[in-house]
Amino acid sequence: MKKVIVIAVGVALILGLVYVVKNLQTKSKATDVSLIAFAVEDTASVDKIEIYDSFHDQDMVLTRNESGRWEGPNGMCVEQSIVAMMLETMHKVTLKGYVPKSAMKNMKKLLMSQHKEVKIYQNGKWIKTWFVGHSTQDHMGTHMLLETPEIKSDNPVIVGMKGFHGILEPRFFVDKRKFVCSDLFSFSRKEIQSVEVVNRVQPSDSYKIEILDSDNYKVTSQGKPIPNVKKDNLLFYLNGFEDIHFNQPNYTLSNEQMDSIRANQPDYELNIKGKEKSYELDMYRRLDREYNPEDTLAYDMNFLWGVKPDGDFVRMQYYTIGPLIQGKTVFE
């Protein structure tokens, strides 16, 4: 009888141990999955992204408005393609590997001292936060740590992105200038009432076009009519005022340098009057940094500074704006 009791107790203990082990394994697996579940399956429902850069102590908040477009703080216009890139990263992120135990302590210190904190919201609710750290030595992976409303990982892991070979950290930034919309103006030919170009580099190339009606135009240069204007070429020129963008915001000029530039008359002025809106753009040539002999001034042949109506400086390409300020060579 005693042997039966001993055997029964032994079996019970074994079954209990098996249950405990299985339970621990299940919990461990669940925890492991939660700690590496960086991906967001439904990015269409993501409506807010908060990014904080611990190194620069700056942040950026992006929200999706009622029409589905993304905005910055105070309704700031942002390039939609940038947010689309971030959402793509959230959807395609994948685990690449684990940090070796021998390196874990240092990796945690590095990540906590310098990282990008990316908080992701769906339908107004916070769902997870990425702590995006530095790259691996081969620059093919990124050290990241995950936090959700239920749990925060203690240890970073190495992640990548499906179909992408490189570092994920540069895909999340807080510099508002990198987000700003690059569009300047857009006028269809039928909207335009007049175009005036003031060219102080070559004053004889200044001109003004006035649309009198659908078939009649008045074209002058320095107050005098330009004879023999080629109408087809003039219409071609006026068709070029749609979807004009700048190349990039000002990353190099200080406030003092901008004030110094503004103290001079613009090298070019573009004044557009439309039926419902108008636009004025001042432009200044840029000195070529690579060519600066003492007795000669050389100007950048690819870019110039544009000053928007709100006073912001932007870098513009001659490729984009050149045809609009050199129209006389087209229609004369």
Side-chain angles (χ1 to χ4, degrees):
M1 184 68 179
K2 290 183 179 179
K3 290 183 179 180
V4 172
I5 294 174
V6 170
I7 292 171
V9 171
V11 171
L13 288 173
I14 293 171
L15 290 174
L17 287 172
V18 169
Y19 173 79
V20 171
V21 169
K22 285 187 175 180
N23 191 45
L24 287 174
Q25 288 177 339
T26 301
K27 288 184 177 179
S28 176
K29 288 180 180 179
T31 301
D32 287 344
V33 171
S34 67
L35 297 179
I36 63 174
F38 288 90
V40 179
E41 296 297 329
D42 181 18
T43 56
S45 63
V46 174
D47 52 11
K48 186 177 179 181
I49 304 170
E50 296 178 354
I51 308 170
Y52 172 71
D53 187 329
S54 66
F55 181 76
H56 295 98
D57 191 24
Q58 294 179 351
D59 63 358
M60 181 66 179
V61 179
L62 300 161
T63 54
R64 198 193 296 262
N65 63 24
E66 293 181 356
S67 65
R69 289 186 61 83
W70 287 89
E71 298 177 336
N74 301 315
M76 166 188 166
C77 179
V78 300
E79 287 289 345
Q80 302 300 295
S81 59
I82 294 175
V83 188
M85 173 192 68
M86 293 181 179
L87 294 174
E88 179 191 28
T89 308
M90 295 174 190
H91 182 67
K92 294 183 178 181
V93 67
T94 184
L95 178 71
K96 290 201 69 170
Y98 294 90
V99 177
K101 289 184 179 180
S102 59
M104 182 62 74
K105 187 176 180 180
N106 287 334
M107 288 299 173
K108 288 170 68 173
K109 286 183 178 180
L110 284 172
L111 193 145
M112 287 296 99
S113 64
Q114 184 174 335
H115 61 267
K116 306 278 184 66
E117 182 179 333
V118 183
K119 297 186 73 173
I120 306 166
Y121 295 77
Q122 277 182 327
N123 300 317
K125 294 183 179 181
W126 168 60
I127 59 163
K128 59 185 65 181
T129 297
W130 293 4
F131 293 88
V132 186
H134 58 288
S135 69
T136 54
Q137 288 187 346
D138 61 3
H139 299 284
M140 299 300 287
T142 303
H143 293 94
M144 285 173 51
L145 188 147
L146 178 65
E147 180 182 8
T148 70
E150 294 79 27
I151 191 170
K152 180 178 180 179
S153 173
D154 290 326
N155 300 319
V157 294
I158 301 170
V159 303
M161 176 178 160
K162 297 174 184 176
F164 174 79
H165 303 284
I167 308 168
L168 302 186
E169 183 268 338
R171 289 178 163 240
F172 299 93
F173 44 84
V174 295
D175 190 335
K176 292 179 175 58
R177 293 172 298 182
K178 294 182 179 180
F179 286 94
V180 68
C181 293
S182 63
D183 54 306
L184 289 172
F185 57 84
S186 183
F187 290 85
S188 69
R189 178 166 59 85
K190 294 181 179 180
E191 290 180 271
I192 298 174
Q193 290 185 321
S194 68
V195 173
E196 182 178 18
V197 172
V198 179
N199 186 331
R200 293 190 175 89
V201 179
Q202 294 290 338
S204 61
D205 287 340
S206 300
Y207 54 89
K208 184 176 183 179
I209 303 169
E210 298 174 84
I211 290 82
L212 304 179
D213 54 50
S214 59
D215 293 316
N216 294 294
Y217 304 86
K218 180 181 178 182
V219 186
T220 58
S221 178
Q222 298 179 302
K224 298 179 180 180
I226 299 179
N228 303 319
V229 171
K230 300 172 184 176
K231 184 177 177 180
D232 288 343
N233 290 358
L234 180 62
L235 296 179
F236 175 80
Y237 167 76
L238 293 173
N239 282 328
F241 283 78
E242 295 190 60
D243 297 324
I244 302 302
H245 293 248
F246 62 82
N247 175 254
Q248 70 175 212
N250 168 36
Y251 292 114
T252 57
L253 293 177
S254 65
N255 290 332
E256 291 75 15
Q257 289 173 317
M258 288 188 288
D259 289 339
S260 177
I261 292 174
R262 287 193 191 97
N264 302 300
Q265 287 188 312
D267 293 315
Y268 308 99
E269 293 179 25
L270 176 61
N271 303 311
I272 311 165
K273 183 179 179 182
K275 294 178 181 178
E276 297 182 357
K277 59 185 178 181
S278 297
Y279 196 88
E280 297 180 358
L281 181 67
D282 293 340
M283 288 160 281
Y284 298 85
R285 290 176 295 171
R286 291 161 41 108
L287 290 174
D288 192 332
R289 297 179 181 179
E290 297 181 0
Y291 184 77
N292 190 26
E294 295 180 0
D295 58 345
T296 304
L297 289 178
Y299 292 97
D300 191 333
M301 300 298 293
N302 297 310
F303 301 100
L304 70 165
W305 290 116
V307 183
K308 297 162 55 181
D310 60 9
D312 284 349
F313 273 68
V314 293
R315 194 178 77 172
M316 304 195 63
Q317 287 181 293
Y318 274 107
Y319 177 82
T320 299
I321 201 67
L324 302 186
I325 60 177
Q326 298 168 358
K328 195 178 177 186
T329 61
V330 175
F331 56 74
E332 188 177 24

